[in-house]
Amino acid sequence: MCRSPTHAFLAALPKCEHHIHLEGSLAPSLLFTLAHQNKIALPSPEDDPSFASPVALLDRYTHFTSLDNFLHYYFIGIGVLIHAQDFEALAWDYFVRAKADGVVHAEVFFDPQAHTTRGVHYTTVRDGFKKACDKAEKDLGISTKLILCFLRDKPVMAAEATLEEARKDLESGLLSGVGLDSSEKQHPPGCFREVYKLAKAAGGRLTVHAGEEGPAEYIREALKELDVERIDHGIHLVDDLDLMKELAERRVLLTVCPLSNYRLRAVKEIRDLPIRTFLNEGVRFSLNSDDPAYFGGYILDNYCAVQEAFSLTVKEWENIATAAIEGSWCDAARKRVLLKQLSDVVEKPHL
């Protein structure tokens, strides 16, 4: 429960989420339900007591030791997703929760390679997620963008094959862009330069996970080699002052995920995140939930955690929310609507 006296104000802020993996919103309750429906065998509780029940699994999620430790459970979980309606149900659960947290625009990631390698066709995944996105826009008033992510710990040729399957969706605008995720250590982004060049030629916008567990040099490499316009995570930017100045001048948006960084032990405490440094140096960033079912919080939980750690002012929150809106991939008309919503909240802060 948020203990900040500014909670009502934080809840009222119109939020843009740019860093949410739909597969990472798979709550243990839905995981067990889909496993039963689709006759998918989960690990035996004798082998891993975490799978004794949804409650036991949720408790296990509070004890991750690293990104790779989390990914072990992440990839077990997505094995229960088989049919288009499974992917739709998963995404819809996220959108309903996001709406309750004040999300007005969501740019959502999905990992097709994690499914096609299991024999689930790319179009099955895409269609399920796209149906939920359309429903969120119609029924919840959340504008959405769907972003395909390549798995960086898989061969580049696998990303090339995935891009070929998705090329028409990028060209048509059904997909807004591409990203690069999964285990960062020992997997520099520059290896994917040709894939990113092709994605951009197809009309896709470009982002990449960098500077989470990897060094600031990965951020520099992503900007130079992949020509990205956004950096996902990026907390190690503070290790390179010249690069930090460059990103501030170029108004490159970082999609920071506080609770994720804490749960995966990238930082010991939320207060160790470079939030204050980014604000002071003019680095633009948004706050996001990453894989909320695994990291103990959706977007409002992340806002509250940051407020409790840094005691930000209304003006600082306005600046964060403005950067998130302006750094979104929606059109100018939608941004004007969201900026007006933000102005209305700030003018009458819930303090």
Side-chain angles (χ1 to χ4, degrees), residues 4 15 20 39 45 58 95 154 199 201 230 239 268 295 309 316 321 325 332 336 339 348:
S4 169
K15 301 171 186 68
I20 163 69
K39 297 180 172 57
L58 185 62
F95 285 124
K154 303 300 180 185
R230 183 186 292 170
D239 300 331
K268 291 183 178 180
F295 300 145
E316 287 170 329
I325 293 170
R336 286 194 294 271
L339 288 169
K348 297 180 180 180

Side-chain angles (χ1 to χ4, degrees), residues 239-282:
D239 300 331
D240 188 327
L241 299 182
D242 289 338
L243 183 60
M244 184 161 58
K245 181 179 179 181
E246 178 184 342
L247 263 69
E249 291 175 348
R250 293 175 56 179
R251 297 167 66 88
V252 174
L253 187 77
L254 306 183
T255 66
V256 179
C257 305
L259 289 177
S260 168
N261 293 154
Y262 170 66
R263 281 291 183 92
L264 296 184
R265 305 192 181 186
V267 293
K268 291 183 178 180
E269 302 289 346
I270 298 294
R271 64 174 178 267
D272 296 327
L273 287 165
I275 298 296
R276 179 62 63 190
T277 300
F278 288 162
L279 288 170
N280 291 343
E281 298 301 322

Side-chain angles (χ1 to χ4, degrees), residues 184 188-189 208-224 231 233-244 246-247 254 278:
E184 186 181 8
V208 65
H209 285 47
E212 177 189 11
E213 288 193 325
E217 180 58 32
Y218 281 13
I219 300 174
R220 185 182 298 277
E221 185 174 308
L223 293 169
K224 180 180 179 181
I231 296 293
H233 288 297
I235 58 173
H236 281 289
L237 178 63
V238 293
D239 300 331
D240 188 327
L241 299 182
D242 289 338
L243 183 60
M244 184 161 58
E246 178 184 342
L247 263 69
L254 306 183
F278 288 162

Side-chain angles (χ1 to χ4, degrees), residues 7 12 21 24 62 127 145 177-179 211 343:
H7 178 76
H21 299 270
T62 66
D127 290 350
K145 298 292 181 182
V178 301
S343 177

Side-chain angles (χ1 to χ4, degrees), residues 39-272:
K39 297 180 172 57
I40 302 296
L42 296 174
S44 165
E46 286 74 28
D47 295 329
D48 186 341
S50 305
F51 288 93
S53 69
V55 172
L57 188 58
L58 185 62
D59 179 69
R60 176 61 182 82
Y61 291 169
T62 66
H63 301 289
F64 293 130
T65 57
S66 67
L67 176 60
D68 286 338
N69 183 233
F70 149 67
L71 288 172
H72 168 74
Y73 285 92
Y74 174 86
F75 285 114
I76 290 175
I78 63 177
V80 306
L81 301 165
I82 303 295
H83 308 291
Q85 57 265 34
D86 301 338
F87 294 96
E88 180 186 356
L90 170 61
W92 181 247
D93 273 2
Y94 160 72
F95 285 124
V96 170
R97 179 60 185 266
K99 175 69 174 181
D101 276 4
V103 171
V104 291
H105 178 73
E107 301 183 0
V108 295
F109 295 135
F110 73 111
D111 291 332
Q113 289 169 264
H115 309 294
T116 55
T117 55
R118 300 184 292 111
V120 179
H121 199 276
Y122 163 75
T123 56
T124 298
V125 183
R126 178 205 65 196
D127 290 350
F129 284 151
K130 182 61 168 61
K131 191 171 182 179
C133 287
D134 291 344
K135 187 177 180 182
E137 298 209 8
K138 178 183 177 182
D139 295 349
L140 302 177
I142 300 175
S143 51
T144 68
K145 298 292 181 182
L146 192 56
I147 302 171
L148 178 154
C149 281
F150 305 116
L151 299 180
R152 71 197 307 152
D153 56 344
K154 303 300 180 185
V156 173
M157 65 178 62
E160 293 171 343
T162 298
L163 177 61
E164 189 57 35
E165 282 192 287
R167 185 189 302 274
K168 290 183 179 178
D169 292 337
L170 287 167
E171 293 173 343
S172 70
L174 189 155
L175 298 181
S176 295
V178 301
L180 185 68
D181 63 13
S182 197
S183 183
E184 186 181 8
K185 288 184 176 179
Q186 309 303 318
H187 299 105
C191 301
F192 293 83
R193 64 177 63 86
E194 293 303 319
V195 180
Y196 266 64
K197 185 182 298 184
L198 293 170
K200 185 174 183 178
R205 303 187 74 165
L206 310 177
T207 186
V208 65
H209 285 47
E212 177 189 11
E213 288 193 325
E217 180 58 32
Y218 281 13
I219 300 174
R220 185 182 298 277
E221 185 174 308
L223 293 169
K224 180 180 179 181
E225 301 289 340
L226 305 187
D227 194 28
V228 298
E229 58 187 289
R230 183 186 292 170
I231 296 293
D232 301 313
H233 288 297
I235 58 173
H236 281 289
L237 178 63
V238 293
D239 300 331
D240 188 327
L241 299 182
D242 289 338
L243 183 60
M244 184 161 58
K245 181 179 179 181
E246 178 184 342
L247 263 69
E249 291 175 348
R250 293 175 56 179
R251 297 167 66 88
V252 174
L253 187 77
L254 306 183
T255 66
V256 179
C257 305
L259 289 177
S260 168
N261 293 154
Y262 170 66
R263 281 291 183 92
L264 296 184
R265 305 192 181 186
V267 293
K268 291 183 178 180
E269 302 289 346
I270 298 294
R271 64 174 178 267
D272 296 327

Side-chain angles (χ1 to χ4, degrees), residues 296-310:
Y298 285 75
I299 191 168
L300 181 55
D301 299 302
N302 280 270
Y303 275 53
C304 291
V306 166
Q307 180 61 16
E308 290 178 0
F310 295 97

